[in-house]
């Protein structure tokens, strides 16, 4: 097993003692020149390998990302360590970073290193190869390997002038045989250009019970592609659209058929069972799958994502609300009202977050979503005397029913927060200010404020399709799913399709349905949750001091109303 090691060098300083008094004094010794020791621990590497052996690629990917970040600050890396890091990055789908380790290695590449770099370069997109070539500290022998592969890829993608220029640069550097052969193939026209556009598959229901969902998701996807095609420099794209008839088994079969047709990605299927099974049955893990509406299944297989993972979404909102109130309002003890059927994992995540801040959940009450009164649950929460109450719902309609009753049954004086359903336009427009103002909201999407990505998408949709945007997120989910595919699409050759997953994992993507990013450890696509305040039917950034002042005023108001009620009761008793 190779271990990480670095050499610390120091210059010894001489000593002037014991010299003749007649001898000229030696200059004062300067500070020793020391190369700062920076060490990558071998333990994380062993942990990553163990995680891969156990099938936990997410943990291995997170460790690899950490080791990569640490390596960026190290000037000296021995060949054994470089090989270990390269192998790990390659095994978790970070081929571009693995290649960069060898491109920037501070030592001459041996035959095995050059072979590995060629293998990695052959999997990268033109964009990724160009970025490698732009590395300021790349060694020339590594540049030659990358330059030759980029020349070949450009020739295949039908960019002959750029390809020839790079090929000439390769030959000018006295390259190895493999690079010389690639460059000569480009210059002599022996590289066959791609005869067909890059293919993307769509598996959506055009018939059956979910046909409306499929139709709207397809409209959003087509809108994203239309915007992509406004740039003539981008790769041509062909869509292959298959109807799964709202059936799980048909959806799985369609994904298998599309992979045989060399698609680089599949948008769909829309159901969790189909997404999971299709991901398992892929021939290669780098076929990118993204469902706009599957409610679960993320993280089970690499490069298989959903934009609508319900359990994960609810847990993220719950912890964000608790964290914000604990940090900015110094509230520690909570009461929770939630619908029966709400994710048990979300309630557990909320409890753990409260405990992490030194607090706890004093009471949690479940309600039947179709109820018309919530008196029992609200009264029980009030009796527990929490510092704040968090209300989760199954939809905007339930929020409109619950909100007035929170005040009526005794929760006026506590800070109250709600989930994303409280930020729904139907709630903001219809709920009276006395029941909604100064309510905190944990959400990932602001559909009301001007200038947001949502408003931009809404305007584009209505202008394109000449109709109002439906009162749901299906079209926007199709739009975001297609944009995630297009952000990393390879310019030629379907075997380079791993570039899509790498691009999605690396950045935050500002979509119509929220700010999207991948949690490397869980392998799940998630939305950033932010906390807002409802005021006058709009969402705004909350001010902690103002919020605390409002809560104090509510307490004083409740005490006044209670005294007034007691006086009225006494007056009635005297009569």
């Amino acid at each position: 097993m190779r271990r990480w090691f670095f050499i610390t060098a120091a210059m010894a300083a001489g000593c002037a003692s014991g010299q003749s008094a007649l001898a000229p004094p030696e200059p004062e010794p300067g500070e020793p020149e020391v190369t700062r020791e920076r060490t990558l621990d071998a333990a994380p590497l062993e942990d990553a390998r163990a995680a891969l052996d156990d099938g936990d690629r997410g943990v291995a990917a997170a460790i690899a990302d950490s080791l990569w970040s640490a390596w960026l600050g190290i000037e000296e890396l021995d060949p054994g360590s470089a090989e270990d890091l390269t192998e790990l990055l390659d095994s978790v789908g970070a081929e571009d970073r693995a290649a960069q380790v060898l491109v920037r290695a501070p030592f001459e590449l041996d035959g095995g290193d050059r072979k590995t770099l060629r293998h990695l370069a052959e999997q990268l997109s033109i964009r990724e190869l160009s970025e490698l070539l732009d590395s300021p500290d790349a060694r020339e022998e590594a540049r030659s390997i990358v330059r030759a592969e980029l020349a070949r890829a450009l020739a295949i993608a039908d960019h002959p002038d750029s390809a020839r220029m790079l090929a000439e640069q390769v030959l000018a550097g006295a390259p190895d045989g493999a690079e010389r052969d690639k460059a000569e193939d480009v210059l002599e026209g022996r590289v066959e250009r791609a005869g067909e556009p890059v293919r993307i598959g769509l598996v959506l229901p055009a018939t059956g019970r979910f046909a409306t969902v499929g139709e709207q998701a397809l409209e959003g996807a087509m809108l994203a592609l239309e915007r992509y095609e406004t740039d003539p420099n981008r790769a041509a794209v062909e869509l292959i659209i298959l109807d799964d008839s709202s059936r799980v088994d048909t959806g799985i079969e369609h994904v298998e058929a599309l992979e045989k047709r060399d698609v680089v990605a599949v948008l769909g299927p829309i159901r969790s069972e189909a997404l999971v099974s299709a991901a398992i049955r892929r021939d290669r893990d780098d076929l990118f799958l993204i469902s706009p509406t599957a409610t679960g299944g993320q993280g089970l297989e690499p490069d298989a994502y959903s934009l609508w993972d319900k359990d994960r979404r609810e847990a993220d909102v719950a912890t964000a609300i608790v964290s914000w109130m604990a940090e900015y309002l110094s509230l520690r003890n909570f009461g929770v009202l939630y619908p029966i059927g709400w994710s048990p994992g979300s309630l557990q995540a909320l409890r753990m977050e409260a405990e992490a801040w030194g607090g706890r959940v004093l009471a949690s009450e479940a309600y039947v979503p179709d109820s018309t009164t919530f008196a029992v649950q609200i009264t029980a929460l009030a009796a527990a005397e929490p510092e704040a109450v968090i209300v989760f719902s199954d939809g905007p309609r339930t929020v409109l029913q619950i909100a007035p009753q929170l005040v009526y049954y005794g929760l006026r004086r506590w800070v109250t927060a709600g989930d994303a359903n409280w930020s729904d336009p139907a709630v903001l427009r219809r709920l009276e200010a006395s029941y909604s103002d100064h309510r905190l909201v944990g959400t990932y999407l602001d559909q009301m404020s001007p200038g947001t990505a949502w408003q931009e998408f809404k305007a584009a949709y209505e202008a394109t399709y000449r109709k109002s945007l439906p009162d749901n997120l299906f079209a926007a989910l199709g739009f975001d799913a297609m944009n995630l595919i297009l952000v990393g699409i390879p310019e030629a050759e379907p075997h380079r399709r791993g570039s899509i997953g790498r691009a999605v994992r690396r950045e935050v993507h500002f979509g119509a349905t929220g700010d999207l990013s991948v949690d490397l450890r869980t392998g799940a696509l998630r939305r950033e949750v932010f906390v807002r305040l409802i005021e006058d039917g709009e969402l705004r950034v909350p001010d902690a001091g103002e919020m605390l002042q409002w809560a104090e005023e509510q307490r004083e108001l409740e005490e006044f109303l209670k005294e007034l009620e007691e006086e009225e009761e006494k007056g009635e008793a005297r009569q």
Side-chain angles (χ1 to χ4, degrees), residues 97-311:
R97 289 181 171 176
Q100 191 167 122
V101 173
L102 295 178
V103 166
R104 298 173 59 183
F107 50 80
E108 290 189 10
L109 303 182
D110 61 21
D113 294 330
R114 290 193 292 273
K115 183 178 180 180
T116 298
L117 182 54
R118 291 186 189 109
H119 166 73
L120 293 168
E122 288 168 359
Q123 301 175 64
L124 304 184
S125 68
I126 289 175
R127 182 187 59 259
E128 291 173 315
L129 289 167
S130 299
E131 290 172 354
L132 269 183
L133 205 55
D134 289 341
S135 298
D137 50 355
R139 295 177 63 87
E140 188 52 41
E141 59 181 324
R143 281 183 186 276
S144 179
I145 294 173
V146 175
R147 192 178 284 121
E149 183 58 34
L150 179 55
R152 178 182 173 276
L154 286 167
I156 293 171
D158 199 19
H159 298 290
D161 293 340
S162 299
R164 291 182 62 84
M165 180 185 69
L166 286 171
E168 289 169 354
Q169 292 176 5
V170 171
L171 293 179
D176 283 351
E179 282 64 61
R180 182 174 58 254
D181 291 345
K182 286 182 181 180
E184 289 176 349
D185 285 345
V186 169
L187 291 174
E188 295 174 14
R190 291 195 294 265
V191 177
E192 185 176 351
R193 68 180 182 85
E196 297 177 336
V198 178
R199 295 192 182 107
I200 298 173
L202 285 83
V203 178
L204 296 171
T207 56
R209 59 188 294 210
F210 301 117
T212 300
V213 176
E215 177 187 359
Q216 294 175 7
L218 179 58
E219 288 178 337
M222 295 300 292
L223 181 59
L225 182 59
E226 180 181 299
R227 298 181 64 180
Y228 167 88
E229 290 176 336
T230 59
D231 185 348
N233 296 317
R234 290 174 168 171
V237 171
E238 175 188 346
L239 297 186
I240 303 175
I241 305 172
L242 301 180
D243 172 20
D244 64 11
S245 303
S246 302
R247 293 174 55 90
V248 169
D249 55 348
T250 305
I252 298 168
E253 292 169 1
H254 282 343
V255 173
E256 291 180 329
L258 286 168
E259 185 169 20
K260 290 181 173 62
R261 297 181 66 176
D262 284 335
V263 300
V264 297
V266 176
L267 192 158
I270 70 166
R271 298 175 64 180
S272 301
E273 308 96 309
L275 174 66
V276 172
S277 296
I280 292 171
R281 291 164 65 167
R282 288 173 297 181
D283 289 337
R284 282 175 43 187
D285 287 343
D286 61 359
L287 174 62
F288 187 84
L289 303 179
I290 182 161
S291 171
T293 57
T295 57
Q298 292 199 91
L300 299 178
E301 294 292 328
D303 279 351
Y305 300 103
S306 171
L307 286 173
W308 206 243
D309 191 326
K310 181 174 180 290
D311 291 347

Side-chain angles (χ1 to χ4, degrees), residues 21-22 68 83 155 213 313 332 358 411 413 505 518 557 561:
L22 298 177
W68 158 264
E83 182 179 343
V213 176
R313 191 174 72 250
R332 297 291 185 270
L411 290 180
R413 67 186 176 92
R505 289 191 294 271
V518 173
L557 176 60
L561 293 175

Side-chain angles (χ1 to χ4, degrees), residues 160 227 235 275 292 307 372 376 432 447 474 497 546 572:
R227 298 181 64 180
L275 174 66
L307 286 173
T372 57
V376 174
E432 292 184 19
Q447 294 178 266
F474 298 140
R497 64 193 182 191
E546 180 183 319
E572 291 175 358

Side-chain angles (χ1 to χ4, degrees), residues 30-45:
E31 291 293 326
E33 295 183 9
V34 179
T35 301
R36 184 178 179 184
E37 183 178 281
R38 289 177 168 178
T39 304
L40 287 179
D41 192 351
L45 185 64

